[in-house]
Each structure stands twice: as C-alpha cells, then as structure tokens.
C-alpha cells in the first residue's frame, strides 16, 4: 500500500501531536492553528483542496470550557461550524474524516458508563458546541466521531493529570474531585485506536474512545501517588464546592465496548498512567 496523505488540523495541540506521531510513516500534512484557521471557511476549502488528502483528522477545538460560557459565538464558530466546513471539505476531496468530541455532551447524572446510544444532554456551552459539531460531522458519509475524555500524555505536559502529578511530586497537596467520575484517555492510545479503525475499515459513526475503566479524580490521584511512591497528601473536594462558570457533569464514565467490538480494545487507564508516568520520569526527578 502506498503512503496515504493524512491532513491533521490542530497539530500543535496535545492530541494533534500524538496523531502526527502515529501517522508519521504516512505522507503527513500537520497544520497548526497558525497554518489553518477553522473558522475561515473559504481558505479552509482552498487549503484542503490544494493538499487533496485521503484522510482528514480534526484535532482542533476551542476547549476553554469556562471561557466558552461568555464566548458562545467563538465556541460555536470553531466547534460546530468549523467542523461543518472541514466535513464538507472532506466530502469534496473524498477523504475519510475523523473528528473528536467529549464526555461533556452528557448531563452527568448517570450511574453506569454512558454508551453511544445514550441521549446527549449537555449542561454547558462547550458541550453544546461539541454536540452540534458531532451532528455536522455525522451529516457526511463515512465520518468517525470519537468521544474522548480527560486527555493526557501530550507535549508539553499540561493536562489535569499532569498538573496533579506535578503537585504531588513537588509536595503541594492538590485539590482533587472526590465525586467527579471519568474515564481518562491517553493520547497515544486514542491515536492507535484512530488508526486501527481506519485501517480496519470499521463502520463509520460514533465511538467512545477512552481507556478502559473509570475512576474518581481522587482515586486517580491516589494511583499517581502510589505509582510514584510519593507521600504527598491529597485534598478531596466536591464538584459542588467550586463555583466554576461552566457546570461540570459529575458522572461521565464512558463505555468503550463498541470500540472493542470493532476490534480495538483500549488498555486500562491504570496501564496508560504507568506508561505516561514512565515517559515523564526524567522530567519528574
Ligand atoms: N483536553 C481534554 O481533556 C479533552 C476532553 C474531551 C474532548 N477533547 C477534544 O479532543 C480534541 C483535542 O483536544 P486537545 O486537548 O488536544 O486540545 P488542545 O491541546 O487545546 O489543542 C487544540 C488545538 O486546536 C487549535 N485551535 C483552536 N482554535 C482553532 C481554530 N479556530 N482553528 C484551528 N485550530 C484551532 C489550538 O491552537 P491554539 O492553542 O493556538 O489556539 C490547539 O493547537 C478537541 O476536539 C477537544 O474538544 C479534549
């Protein structure tokens, strides 16, 4: 098989970097925000047409969850209409389109992990803009929409997991949610799953793409402490105790059973955390 042309938007972001690494043996077209602006529909069409890729992977997104509450039009322009432009451009050039969404499309009142069949009901502007983006992506033939959650593993290391890790290493007791339940997603596992779906020509559509299992942030921080053999104490807090501009859904575990049935079994979040901490070991000393 000859090399495929793979265009990656948001290549400067944490997931974008991992996707570029995963597809580095292909003819890669990594485009940072400075190189491709999602909200400039006309230029976007020109750029995509000029490159004529066979795969477009959209890692760009407006992810400032709290700021989005007062920047509704920016959130919609990037996360909804930007996705529509890219999806249409993918159709024009006949490219496979991959887009990433979020657990924040759910209201967080479930008690068992959400599946792809569960009804979305976002509680904040970011989640709403991402849900509309999903709709636009699913409007075209053959799009893969992968919901990820609490991403970690990107460079530079600035995810919530990295912030908690840094605090633990430096003996600064981190605040950790004891009631928010998540299924974290290691960017390199998400990247391998993405490639696996494409290579296997898996049915297009919506997949939950998270590491296997779920945990509270408190339990996750305890696991970081255990794996690092650290002694720093943790400060458990509840979601309700913080008054953040954007409502945080509380229970957001996602089931990745559909992805497993399609042939890609995600490693557990504990295994992903071990690999991540090993890769950061040098910097953490
Ligand atoms: N991070 C998480 O925990 C999380 C959780 C659930 C879902 N997701 C989804 O996963 C995807 C990747 O997230 P990530 O954590 O890798 O995000 P990230 O690190 O913030 O990267 C996003 C990239 O998109 C770029 N970007 C922002 N606005 C853009 C625009 N208008 N046009 C073109 N590029 C633009 C950003 O560039 P600048 O920084 O220069 O603006 C950045 O390089 C997103 O769809 C996000 O919604 C993330």
């Amino acid at each position: 098989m000859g090399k495929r042309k793979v265009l990656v938007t948001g290549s400067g972001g944490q997931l974008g970097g991992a996707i570029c690494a995963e597809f580095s043996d292909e003819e890669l077209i990594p485009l940072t925000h400075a190189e491709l602006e999602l909200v400039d529909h006309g230029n976007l069409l020109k750029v995509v047409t000029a490159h004529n890729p066979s795969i477009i992977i959209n890692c760009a997104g407006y992810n400032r969850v709290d700021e989005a509450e007062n920047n509704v039009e920016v959130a919609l322009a990037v996360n909804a209409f930007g996705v529509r432009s890219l999806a249409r451009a993918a159709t024009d050039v006949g490219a496979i389109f991959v887009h990433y969404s979020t657990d924040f499309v759910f209201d967080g009142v479930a008690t068992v992990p959400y599946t792809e069949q569960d009804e979305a009901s976002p509680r904040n502007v970011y989640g709403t803009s991402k849900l509309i983006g999903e709709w636009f992506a699913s409007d075209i033939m053959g799009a893969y929409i992968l919901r990820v959650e609490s991403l970690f593993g990107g460079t530079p290391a600035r995810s919530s997991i990295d912030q908690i890790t840094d605090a633990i290493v430096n003996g600064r007791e981190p605040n950790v949610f004891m009631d928010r339940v998540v299924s974290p997603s290691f960017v390199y596992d998400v990247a391998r799953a993405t490639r696996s779906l494409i290579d296997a020509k898996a049915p297009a559509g919506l997949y939950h793409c998270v590491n296997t299992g779920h945990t509270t942030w408190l339990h996750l921080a305890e696991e970081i402490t255990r794996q690092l053999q650290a002694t720093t104490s943790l400060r458990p807090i509840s979601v309700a105790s913080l008054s953040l501009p954007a409502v945080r859904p509380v229970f957001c575990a996602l089931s990745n059973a559909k992805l497993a049935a399609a042939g890609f079994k995600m490693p557990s979040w504990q295994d992903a955390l071990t690999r991540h901490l090993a890769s950061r070991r040098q910097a953490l000393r």
Side-chain angles (χ1 to χ4, degrees):
M1 185 166 67
K3 287 192 177 191
R4 298 169 292 186
K5 260 194 180 186
V6 183
L7 188 150
V8 181
T9 59
S11 65
Q14 34 170 359
L15 181 58
I19 291 290
C20 289
E22 178 66 38
F23 288 88
S24 58
D25 59 331
E26 305 281 2
E27 192 178 336
L28 195 64
I29 307 153
L31 298 174
T32 62
H33 190 177
E35 291 162 329
L36 185 73
E37 171 55 66
L38 237 58
V39 305
D40 184 347
H41 178 75
N43 185 56
L44 183 148
L45 267 184
K46 259 194 247 161
V47 171
V48 171
T49 308
H51 285 298
N52 196 26
S54 52
I55 301 171
I56 297 178
I57 305 181
N58 180 27
C59 298
Y62 179 77
N63 300 325
R64 296 182 194 147
V65 176
D66 288 316
E67 282 178 32
E69 292 299 304
N70 289 318
N71 285 305
V72 181
E73 66 289 354
V74 181
L76 288 173
V78 182
N79 293 339
F81 293 100
V83 178
R84 182 178 69 168
S85 297
L86 208 50
R88 285 182 177 174
T91 305
D92 286 354
V93 298
I96 293 168
F97 183 53
V98 182
H99 175 62
Y100 298 94
S101 189
T102 173
D103 54 307
F104 275 28
V105 298
F106 291 116
D107 54 18
V109 299
T111 49
V112 293
Y114 286 100
T115 73
E116 293 80 354
Q117 267 87 52
D118 287 319
E119 198 182 328
S121 179
R123 287 289 179 260
N124 57 41
V125 169
Y126 167 74
T128 305
S129 69
K130 293 293 291 183
L131 180 60
I132 299 171
E134 286 186 6
W135 293 339
F136 282 136
S138 62
D139 237 13
I140 65 162
M141 292 283 287
Y144 292 103
I145 300 149
L146 310 187
R147 287 189 185 136
V148 299
E149 169 167 18
S150 308
L151 284 177
F152 67 104
T155 313
R158 58 174 185 222
S159 67
S160 302
I161 287 183
D162 291 306
Q163 290 172 30
I164 292 170
T165 301
D166 291 341
I168 290 170
V169 168
N170 295 312
R172 289 183 275 112
E173 302 176 6
N175 288 336
V176 282
F177 288 130
M178 58 190 174
D179 49 355
R180 190 164 139 66
V181 179
V182 292
S183 303
S185 306
F186 188 40
V187 286
Y188 296 103
D189 289 339
V190 172
R192 282 201 299 130
T194 301
R195 184 162 190 159
S196 163
L197 285 173
I198 296 171
D199 291 354
K201 298 188 170 54
L206 181 62
Y207 292 87
H208 289 175
C209 186
V210 293
N211 281 107
T212 299
H214 53 273
T215 177
T216 62
W217 281 98
L218 174 59
H219 181 44
L220 197 152
E222 285 168 351
E223 180 65 14
I224 296 172
T225 309
R226 192 189 67 77
Q227 291 199 18
L228 292 176
Q229 298 178 311
T231 53
T232 309
S233 305
L234 306 167
R235 284 203 198 120
I237 57 167
S238 66
V239 173
S241 69
L242 286 190
S243 70
L244 296 164
V247 173
R248 298 302 195 268
V250 176
F251 183 96
C252 269
L254 301 183
S255 161
N256 61 19
K258 183 180 172 189
L259 183 63
F264 193 84
K265 197 165 168 9
M266 291 288 272
S268 70
W269 65 265
Q270 293 94 331
D271 175 84
L273 186 63
T274 304
R275 284 175 286 136
H276 177 53
L277 293 177
S279 77
R280 287 206 60 203
R281 188 150 291 150
Q282 208 66 19
L284 289 172
R285 281 212 178 104

